[in-house]
């Protein structure tokens, strides 16, 4: 193999990405699984662009697991909305310090840039580094506070979710409720599905009853 390939070099350095390979392209080309520890951000992208990248990967059927730190609730909220439309993406929250890292297909690990302004995002494929990162992610996932389930967590969209709960309890049709809220019927139904899932309800009627019992409406 040539220099910069996946094998360990004789000088002991860890195998890195081929010269010119971008970290975001490594994530974009994932085929099976992407695991993300997200505190401040790994990729040289804006948070919104990063979320769009994860959504696109999940849209191809790739399993995407994102573990967000509590200080990154805004990203968790937006990813929670993506989760409603993309069943292959899961979002959990963790209330402790953790490093930023992305693990792609259990074969590559993406680390954020170093402290130097010109330090690039690092992509490493050393088996030991990958194994350590996977173990760190697994421990964090198991210790996560909760699975982020969207607006009912009160981070963003809480007011809209409250309105959906109220209209649902009043027995409005989907068309009428969506029109009152100024959203599409499809979006309204996604919110209803999220409410039913969060409450563990098997029907809309049961969701309304549970919401009343728990003082949500």
């Amino acid at each position: 193999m040539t220099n910069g390939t996946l094998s360990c070099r004789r000088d002991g350095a860890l195998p890195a990405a081929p010269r010119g390979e971008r970290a975001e392209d490594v994530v974009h080309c994932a085929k099976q699984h992407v695991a993300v520890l997200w505190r401040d951000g790994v990729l040289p992208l804006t948070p919104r662009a990063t979320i769009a990248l994860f959504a696109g990967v999940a849209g191809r059927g790739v399993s995407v697991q994102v573990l967000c730190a509590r200080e990154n609730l805004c990203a968790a909220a937006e990813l929670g909305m993506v989760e409603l439309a993309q069943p292959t993406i899961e979002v959990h929250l963790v209330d402790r310090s953790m490093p930023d890292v992305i693990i792609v297909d259990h074969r590559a690990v993406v680390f954020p840039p170093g402290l130097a302004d010109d330090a690039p995002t690092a992509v490493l494929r050393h088996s030991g580094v990958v194994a350590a990162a996977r173990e760190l992610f697994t421990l964090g996932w198991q210790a996560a506070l909760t699975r982020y389930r969207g607006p009912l967590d009160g981070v963003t969209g809480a007011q809209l979710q409250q309105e959906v709960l109220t209209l649902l309890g009043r027995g409005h049709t989907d068309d009428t409720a969506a029109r009152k809220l100024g959203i599409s019927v499809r979006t309204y139904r996604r919110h209803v599905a999220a409410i039913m899932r969060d409450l563990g309800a098997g029907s809309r009627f049961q969701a309304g009853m549970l919401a009343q019992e728990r003082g949500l409406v």
Side-chain angles (χ1 to χ4, degrees):
M1 293 186 180
T2 59
N3 290 337
T5 57
L6 307 189
S7 62
C8 292
R9 298 200 305 267
R10 292 181 180 178
D11 59 8
L14 297 179
R19 187 178 300 276
E21 183 179 30
R22 302 190 310 170
E24 54 267 43
D25 292 338
V26 174
V27 177
H28 175 74
C29 293
K31 300 183 184 304
Q32 297 177 333
H33 183 257
V34 174
V36 184
L37 289 167
W38 193 355
R39 181 184 61 192
D40 300 317
V42 180
L43 301 171
L45 303 172
T46 64
R48 189 169 297 275
T50 300
I51 290 169
L53 174 61
F54 294 153
V57 171
R60 300 200 317 269
V62 175
S63 173
V64 179
Q65 294 177 291
V66 184
L67 186 59
C68 282
R70 272 292 186 184
E71 56 263 39
N72 198 18
L73 285 177
C74 289
E78 291 198 40
L79 283 164
M81 296 305 297
V82 173
E83 184 180 5
L84 294 177
Q86 299 290 356
T88 59
I89 190 168
E90 293 181 85
V91 186
H92 285 211
L93 295 174
V94 65
D95 191 19
R96 66 178 185 179
S97 277
M98 52 182 238
D100 286 298
V101 67
I102 300 176
I103 309 162
V104 181
D105 288 335
H106 308 295
R107 295 181 178 178
V109 179
V110 181
F111 290 104
L115 296 178
D117 292 339
D118 59 348
T121 302
V123 180
L124 300 178
R125 294 186 174 86
H126 185 275
S127 59
V129 173
V130 174
R134 288 178 59 185
E135 182 176 359
L136 177 65
F137 178 83
T138 299
L139 291 173
W141 192 261
Q142 293 173 345
L145 293 174
T146 180
R147 178 174 180 177
Y148 186 82
R149 293 185 179 276
L152 276 180
D153 283 323
V155 181
T156 64
Q159 184 176 0
L160 174 60
Q161 200 82 354
Q162 188 66 43
E163 291 293 333
V164 172
L165 273 169
T166 300
L167 295 173
L168 183 62
R170 293 176 180 174
H172 287 289
T173 65
D174 290 356
D175 288 340
T176 301
R179 187 164 58 252
K180 284 180 176 291
L181 295 173
I183 59 179
S184 70
V185 174
R186 182 179 180 182
T187 298
Y188 174 78
R189 287 173 178 167
R190 285 209 308 266
H191 281 291
V192 171
I195 289 171
M196 291 176 60
R197 182 182 66 187
D198 289 345
L199 295 176
S203 68
R204 294 185 176 203
F205 176 78
Q206 185 182 18
M209 294 295 294
L210 290 172
Q212 289 183 8
E213 291 176 2
R214 299 177 188 181
L216 298 176
V217 292

